[in-house]
Amino acid sequence: MQLYDDNPTLAGVAKELDESKQGEVFYREYAQPATIAGERLFYIESYGCQMNFSDSEIVASILAESGFRPTRDVEVADLILINTCSIREKAEETVRKRLRVFDQLKRNKPGTMVGVLGCMAERLKAKFLEEEKLVDLVVGPDAYRDLPALVATADDGGKGINVYLSREETYADINPLRLDSNGVAAFISIMRGCDNMCSFCVVPFTRGRERSRDAFSIIAEATELYQRGYREVTLLGQNVDSYKWQNPETEQVVNFAALLEMTAQVHPDLRVRFSTSHPKDITDEVLHTMAAHENICKYIHLPVQSGNSRILELMNRTYDREWYMARIEAIRRIVPECAISSDIIAGFCSETEAEHQDTLSMIEYADYSMSYMFFYSERPGTLAARKYPDDIPLEVKKRRLQEIIRLQAQVSFRHNQRDIGRTFKVLIEGDSRRSSDDFCGRNTQNKMTVFPKVGQYKPGDYVNVKVLEATSATLIGEIVD
Ligand code: 5AD
Ligand code: SF4
């Protein structure tokens, strides 16, 4: 298959980060205009988690195989795709708003096809086609191989829908088309679905049962990325610690620690990250593997959700406050330089002020370098929606969230201030967002670092950066030898 990210017309794709007040993060993805006349063009926009961005690259690869080319210009696209997120109500509202814009484009340019992919497609199924008359395709996360056939159905004037959830699909053999690439860092999806059934979460319903991808295909993908100049891979899964794949020939079982080790051995200059870890599943073996390899980044995203044991029980997180604290202690003991980040939900069903205080004290205790913070949003069909009243008033949820955000900003600031005077190895990712005189890149702890360009360094190079200043979000420094 042709690798489109080697194509200079696809270089420098814009990534827009729009952080809303509630701490939701959406990325929007654009591909560059194609130049060959007569080809059908697709445009894809992604919302939600990293997994969705990774999936969009699989979708792009499948479409490229069937004669489509990517465009960054939605107005010229023959096929407009929106890869959607259902995790919170607000995420769905954002998608609905974008669909109004696409409706208008379709009126201006009849024949344009609009497809809804991902979690909202899976959650709403055929209802989507009733509610959104101008939508032609509704395709769930496990049905992307069917896209060319569904497009053909729509070409014939029908509606294309496939929301079948698979127990096997991992897209292991598909070489993702790196749409939004800086050519330095890439995502590799290692598993799909989630079996955890956290009571607030819609993901098990939209992404189905957990399944792990063939370890050899993962290592092959990492190796190929390294050979093409990439220097960082992030192994992605809803719950990477439950990765488990059995080699059908040797019957040998590869767990996450083993996969991490295999990936680290691809090349010492290929950095390895991973996300997301579950506090109940992250093992000491994983931590020892991290400690043993310099190129496994010292950073763990370990969502706590709440710092209170009663709320954690209602959330069905299967650990309590003490268990979580013990995992933090294990990380500090085995990987002392490791930064830890979190996801936090404010105002879950029946949460008291004292229980909210437990979440605040956990932020202090865990000394998170950063967190993604949300207020609870009831999702239809989840265990919490069926069992517990959503009884915390919106103003209270918002006030608690603000308290969490304010404290996390202080803790992040303190965390970063401690780095002043220290020198870190940083992988250059590209120009800083503020100035083309500066580069940006992350250190092992996943902290964004900005520093003036000097010498012949280029994206993909490692440099040593001495930190001179720090905000709650960024380290600012200079290259030292
Ligand atoms: N309401 C608010 N936040 C949620 N998350 C998942 N479901 C909900 C919900 N219903 C958050 C969790 C999860 C992150 C991806 O999104 O913190 O870790
Ligand atoms: Fe949702 Fe919990 Fe699975 Fe994460 S681990 S995707 S929060 S069910």
Side-chain angles (χ1 to χ4, degrees), residues 170-372:
T170 58
Y171 301 110
D173 57 319
I174 293 184
N175 196 349
L177 193 154
R178 311 273 167 196
L179 276 175
D180 188 23
S181 175
N182 57 11
V184 176
F187 293 126
I188 301 182
S189 159
I190 63 163
M191 59 195 299
R192 300 182 72 80
C194 183
D195 283 350
N196 281 324
M197 298 305 268
C198 299
S199 64
F200 51 79
C201 189
V202 78
V203 166
F205 304 95
T206 60
R207 287 189 165 271
R209 299 303 297 269
E210 206 164 272
R211 63 222 102 115
S212 296
R213 178 178 163 190
D214 176 332
F216 293 123
S217 77
I218 295 168
I219 299 306
E221 191 172 329
T223 306
E224 200 216 310
L225 285 164
Y226 179 76
Q227 286 163 351
R228 280 165 44 205
Y230 285 80
R231 290 296 174 263
E232 183 179 297
V233 292
T234 302
L235 305 180
L236 280 187
Q238 244 76 40
N239 180 4
V240 290
D241 301 291
S242 56
Y243 176 87
K244 196 169 164 212
W245 179 77
Q246 186 171 31
N247 184 336
E249 273 151 40
T250 61
E251 298 201 346
Q252 196 193 351
V253 173
V254 179
N255 66 9
F256 182 59
L259 180 74
L260 203 50
E261 171 124 49
M262 286 159 73
T263 317
Q265 284 167 344
V266 166
H267 196 284
D269 284 342
L270 184 71
R271 268 183 172 183
V272 186
R273 297 186 185 277
F274 54 90
S275 188
T276 295
S277 303
H278 195 297
K280 106 176 130 59
D281 295 323
I282 188 165
T283 59
D284 284 359
E285 192 191 0
V286 165
L287 301 178
H288 285 297
T289 307
M290 290 179 76
H293 294 272
E294 190 269 338
N295 59 332
I296 302 180
C297 290
K298 305 299 178 274
Y299 169 68
I300 301 177
H301 185 57
L302 194 71
V304 69
Q305 311 298 358
S306 164
N308 175 267
S309 294
R310 188 187 74 90
I311 294 294
L312 288 168
E313 167 93 43
L314 293 184
M315 287 177 163
N316 198 27
R317 288 290 287 176
T318 66
Y319 57 84
D320 59 12
R321 180 179 173 92
E322 285 65 39
W323 172 279
Y324 188 88
M325 287 173 151
R327 295 324 293 151
I328 297 284
E329 284 317 303
I331 295 169
R332 290 197 178 126
R333 189 176 70 246
I334 301 169
V335 201
E337 278 293 292
C338 193
I340 303 166
S341 64
S342 195
D343 290 346
I344 298 170
I345 299 178
F348 188 66
C349 313
S350 78
E351 184 189 68
T352 65
E353 286 302 326
E355 289 165 343
H356 164 61
Q357 290 298 324
D358 282 348
T359 297
L360 293 174
S361 70
M362 183 62 91
I363 295 173
E364 287 276 6
Y365 177 84
D367 191 30
Y368 296 127
S369 58
M370 57 95 70
S371 290
Y372 298 99

Side-chain angles (χ1 to χ4, degrees), residues 1 26 42 51 63 81 99 103 155 159 161 172 187 195 215 222 246-247 284-285 346 354 365 374 386 410 418 426 461:
M1 183 199 113
F26 294 117
F42 75 92
M51 191 63 96
L63 288 173
L81 296 172
L99 285 173
D103 282 351
D155 278 338
K159 300 274 184 187
I161 177 164
F187 293 126
D195 283 350
Q246 186 171 31
N247 184 336
D284 284 359
E285 192 191 0
Y365 177 84
F374 318 96
R386 284 181 278 131
Q410 288 166 10
R418 288 202 299 266
V426 173
D461 289 344

Side-chain angles (χ1 to χ4, degrees), residues 35-55:
T35 46
I36 301 169
E39 267 175 324
R40 293 176 89 184
L41 302 176
F42 75 92
Y43 167 93
I44 188 162
E45 201 168 280
S46 306
Y47 292 85
C49 63
Q50 291 168 330
M51 191 63 96
N52 256 11
F53 285 82
S54 175
D55 278 2

